[in-house]
Amino acid sequence: MLRNAVRPMILLAAAVVLGAGTTAARQAGPITLEEAAAAGANYDKAEFRLWIPGDAARVRAVVVLVPGSNGDGRAMADDAFWQGFAARNRLAIVACRFTDKPHDQGFIEEYVNVSKGSGQALVNALGAFAMQSKHPEIATAPIMLWGMSAGGQFNYEFAAWKPERVIAFVVNKGGIYYSALVSSAARQVPALLFVGDKDLEFRTNTITGLFAVNRRAGALWALVTEPDTAHAVGRSRDVGAMFFEDVIALRLGSGALTPVPDKTGFIGDLKAVTYQPVATAAAPTVPTAWLPTEKIAKAWQAVLTGRPFETMAGAQAAAPVMVPPPWAYTVNPPVTPGAPRPDVDPNPKQVPGSTMSLTVAQTRDAYNPPDWHPSAHPQMPEPVAHGRRPAMRACGFCHLVNGQGRPENASLAGLPAAYIVQQMADFKSGDRRSAEPRMGPPNAMIQDAKAATDEEIRSAAAYFSSFPYRKWVRVVEAKDAPKSRVSGSMHVPANDGTEPLGQRIIEMPEDLVRTELRDASSGFVAYVPAGSIAKGELLVKTGGAGRTVACGTCHGSDLKGLGPVPPLAGRSPSYTVRQMYDLQQGVRKGPWSSLMKGALEKLTVDDMIAIAAYTSSREP
């Protein structure tokens, strides 16, 4: 029988159809939230992203990550390094974006002067996150601050402004500061101040001077000079995380934030690059550093002398923290309570190639989706054209009347009818769920599947399988992509320039106006990392030397499907990643899921990105 003949990769196609979701308890998976503040006295934008480990019933503290000058550091909340650190220590992550208002001296970041408003924006964001996440402790939780360049400047000034809130902080090669000798309370907040010996002299001189005057007054700080390093992160992230971990043990042992105990730590000789316990150290005659533990003293010594040291990477590799990639699981930002609803343009609209005129309100009717091009597809059955009010939305509303679909759901056109019927059964039974329970479309799909009758499902499946899927997604390899925001459960242009793409896929409308009018002839563009298509081709065609299974075995050498096995070619890459991830994590349990899980178990999210980039780039 066919079931016995299939290979593990058969369920990769199962990943490329329909949406999935479920309700979950707060601890069922990691929490990711977004927050933004209105422009303030000393900043233009203040935007924040929260991440909380899935198993954290209560977080102990918050690690705040701040990027360089006017940068968008929110993606640092998605970084596996920081997520591993946060999960291991039961912390939340808040990653930030601050930008200045235009002013004459652009090299001076005014938002760094936290007491003028930007610091309160961060405090307010913590309070908002506490309510949204149902983790009230975040509102008053102690924080650690790590940042690069202007991010380090922000950290220094925040510790000077609210030392009672800060466990520890890291300064990293920034150049402009508003405070010199800070208060006694701020000097008792442990800190690492990094400089690069190849950085601009004014930066190294400024940080060295700040360190010298405050260390002379007893600051629990260390100066860390990185050899052969200019204005770069260098080793500050690795050492900073180790430093935070050890200071947490010193200051949060009882649960509440306490001062560092007297006679604790080690004294580092900045000239000899040696160290000794505080308890036995003689009165210094040379500049010294304060270091909380011998582990950190050894790391400090190794950095100054250019030698390797043991990092936390081994522990992270042994226990990786898997998190649904937020760029793929597009969760709409929360609606501000009491905010007025935007006005809807009442004027009739048109799209290219159509003689129809419809208002925006008409295009948003989930029980009568717009059919701008009725001659381009067969006559729709009732479940596709109208659904069944109020229990079941029209299939053509979300998946479009021609089944081409959108990144937040699935392309149904050209899929085997039997396959669609099986997926609906899996939604009904609970075998198809999503790794991100806050994503709206999968939850809507479950609701509609449970409401649909067998005959409604059969007629819709027969309709969508009766015509081919056409090329719908333009795949572009890039290092940078247009800045985007999530609206309507998909990425849309933010009209604010570009940003580094990193290891993400950003899929957005080719023409936002037409997409919002649900024009089923206007497709999408997907920005994928440079080189990902070639990497994906190797994995798809060969299995990557045992990393997975060659996809063509079941999906056909051209990835256009075989019999009841669905096609992969040309389908939405962000959707493909979501479904691979769901199968790997075991939240999809339909037929053959155990085989597919085995084929995916060795893949990283980066591998999934490459596979999806390649399959989407193929002609359907």
Side-chain angles (χ1 to χ4, degrees):
M1 297 294 290
L2 176 64
R3 179 164 181 150
N4 294 327
V6 296
R7 299 288 181 89
M9 282 305 287
I10 194 166
L11 277 205
L12 180 51
V16 194
V17 68
L18 305 174
T22 186
T23 55
R26 186 180 75 191
Q27 285 74 44
I31 295 172
T32 303
L33 296 171
E34 304 278 345
E35 184 64 32
N42 73 325
Y43 64 90
D44 181 32
K45 293 180 179 178
E47 299 170 336
F48 310 92
R49 179 174 299 163
L50 170 78
W51 184 85
I52 302 175
D55 59 352
R58 180 180 176 84
V59 300
R60 302 166 66 199
V62 179
V63 57
V64 175
L65 307 174
V66 192
S69 181
N70 290 280
D72 189 347
R74 289 174 293 174
M76 289 192 286
D78 310 328
D79 189 309
F81 176 91
W82 287 114
Q83 289 180 351
F85 169 72
R88 187 166 54 255
N89 292 285
R90 290 190 291 118
L91 309 174
I93 298 172
V94 170
C96 307
R97 178 192 189 190
F98 287 103
T99 63
D100 263 345
K101 293 179 175 179
H103 59 94
D104 292 340
Q105 294 180 298
F107 68 94
I108 299 176
E109 295 87 0
E110 293 185 344
Y111 67 82
V112 162
N113 194 3
V114 301
S115 64
K116 301 299 183 182
S118 53
Q120 191 60 48
L122 172 57
V123 172
N124 292 345
L126 293 172
F129 283 142
M131 291 189 292
Q132 295 170 29
S133 66
K134 297 183 171 58
H135 277 271
E137 69 276 13
I138 289 175
T140 56
I143 65 176
M144 294 157 282
L145 299 116
W146 182 92
M148 170 64 194
S149 191
Q153 299 163 206
F154 182 96
N155 300 347
Y156 177 93
E157 297 295 342
F158 193 97
W161 179 55
K162 284 199 175 295
E164 71 281 0
R165 189 77 187 265
V166 182
I167 301 172
F169 67 96
V170 170
V171 166
N172 194 15
K173 308 176 182 75
I176 303 293
Y177 297 82
Y178 289 82
S179 306
L181 179 65
V182 298
S183 68
S184 175
R187 296 196 298 270
Q188 297 310 299
V189 177
L192 297 178
L193 284 70
F194 284 83
V195 297
D197 70 354
K198 302 295 186 184
D199 203 353
L200 295 178
E201 189 174 5
F202 90 90
R203 292 194 185 112
T204 59
N205 288 347
T206 298
I207 294 175
T208 300
L210 291 174
F211 168 77
V213 69
N214 285 282
R215 178 69 186 133
R216 177 70 178 83
L220 300 179
W221 298 358
L223 183 68
V224 189
T225 302
E226 296 191 72
D228 299 316
T229 303
H231 199 63
V233 169
R235 303 166 86 180
S236 67
R237 185 193 69 166
D238 291 339
V239 179
M242 294 167 57
F243 174 74
F244 288 157
E245 201 159 61
D246 284 8
V247 175
I248 287 171
L250 290 175
R251 302 199 66 195
L252 284 182
S254 63
L257 186 60
T258 59
V260 174
D262 288 341
K263 301 295 184 182
T264 296
F266 291 76
I267 297 296
D269 186 320
L270 289 169
K271 289 190 174 181
V273 195
T274 57
Y275 61 87
Q276 57 183 314
V278 169
T280 60
T285 58
V286 295
T288 63
W290 178 86
L291 303 152
T293 63
E294 188 169 14
K295 181 178 75 175
I296 302 305
K298 288 180 178 179
W300 169 83
Q301 187 180 59
V303 172
L304 267 64
T305 56
R307 293 184 289 106
F309 61 92
E310 183 178 353
T311 69
M312 299 188 300
Q316 288 179 322
V321 177
M322 297 298 290
V323 181
W327 53 263
Y329 291 83
T330 42
V331 176
N332 289 325
V335 177
T336 304
R341 301 189 68 167
D343 294 333
V344 176
D345 185 352
N347 297 311
K349 305 296 179 184
Q350 292 184 307
V351 301
S354 175
T355 59
M356 298 183 64
S357 294
L358 297 171
T359 66
V360 172
Q362 286 176 311
T363 67
R364 295 178 180 178
D365 185 349
Y367 301 94
N368 190 28
D371 190 2
W372 294 102
H373 312 280
S375 64
H377 58 80
Q379 183 176 353
M380 293 181 285
E382 192 68 9
V384 177
H386 300 294
R388 181 164 34 83
R389 195 185 297 266
M392 184 183 76
R393 285 159 284 236
C395 306
F397 181 72
C398 295
H399 299 282
L400 303 182
V401 293
N402 61 0
Q404 288 291 122
R406 293 154 50 114
E408 75 273 17
N409 52 57
S411 299
L412 303 184
L415 290 174
Y419 181 76
I420 296 175
V421 170
Q422 181 60 57
Q423 301 315 303
M424 293 293 282
D426 291 345
F427 280 125
K428 281 191 175 187
S429 69
D431 280 346
R432 280 204 64 166
R433 300 186 293 114
S434 172
E436 174 50 89
R438 295 173 303 132
M439 190 174 176
N443 291 322
M445 191 66 238
I446 291 174
Q447 180 184 15
D448 288 338
K450 289 182 175 180
T453 67
D454 290 347
E455 179 53 36
E456 287 169 332
I457 291 171
R458 281 194 295 268
S459 66
Y463 169 77
F464 287 120
S465 66
S466 69
F467 49 83
Y469 172 77
R470 61 182 176 80
K471 187 67 174 176
W472 191 233
V473 182
R474 180 169 61 95
V475 180
V476 178
E477 288 195 338
K479 291 184 178 179
D480 299 299
K483 288 184 179 180
S484 63
R485 57 186 177 86
V486 175
S487 177
S489 298
M490 67 178 172
H491 291 281
V492 299
N495 299 319
D496 189 24
T498 62
E499 64 182 355
L501 178 61
Q503 285 304 113
R504 300 181 297 162
I505 293 175
I506 298 299
E507 191 172 354
M508 61 176 64
E510 291 273 24
D511 186 322
L512 180 59
V513 172
R514 292 174 66 185
T515 295
E516 289 186 330
L517 292 172
R518 290 188 128 69
D519 179 0
S521 66
S522 183
F524 295 84
V525 56
Y527 296 92
V528 303
S532 59
I533 293 176
K535 178 183 175 183
E537 182 177 16
L538 181 66
L539 288 166
V540 168
K541 290 186 174 180
T542 71
R547 196 166 185 84
T548 184
V549 179
C551 306
T553 304
C554 299
H555 299 285
S557 59
D558 56 3
L559 303 179
K560 295 180 182 179
L562 284 173
V565 182
L568 304 179
R571 307 275 166 161
S572 163
S574 52
Y575 195 87
T576 299
V577 169
R578 281 201 303 275
Q579 301 311 307
M580 282 193 285
Y581 186 90
D582 287 350
L583 285 159
Q584 184 192 60
Q585 298 304 304
V587 296
R588 292 223 20 208
K589 305 172 188 173
W592 301 322
S593 62
S594 60
L595 296 174
M596 189 63 200
K597 194 172 189 299
L600 294 168
E601 63 183 357
K602 296 179 183 178
L603 296 183
T604 65
V605 171
D606 286 355
D607 294 331
M608 296 178 193
I609 289 171
I611 289 171
Y614 176 73
T615 59
S616 185
S617 72
R618 301 301 88 193
E619 288 295 322

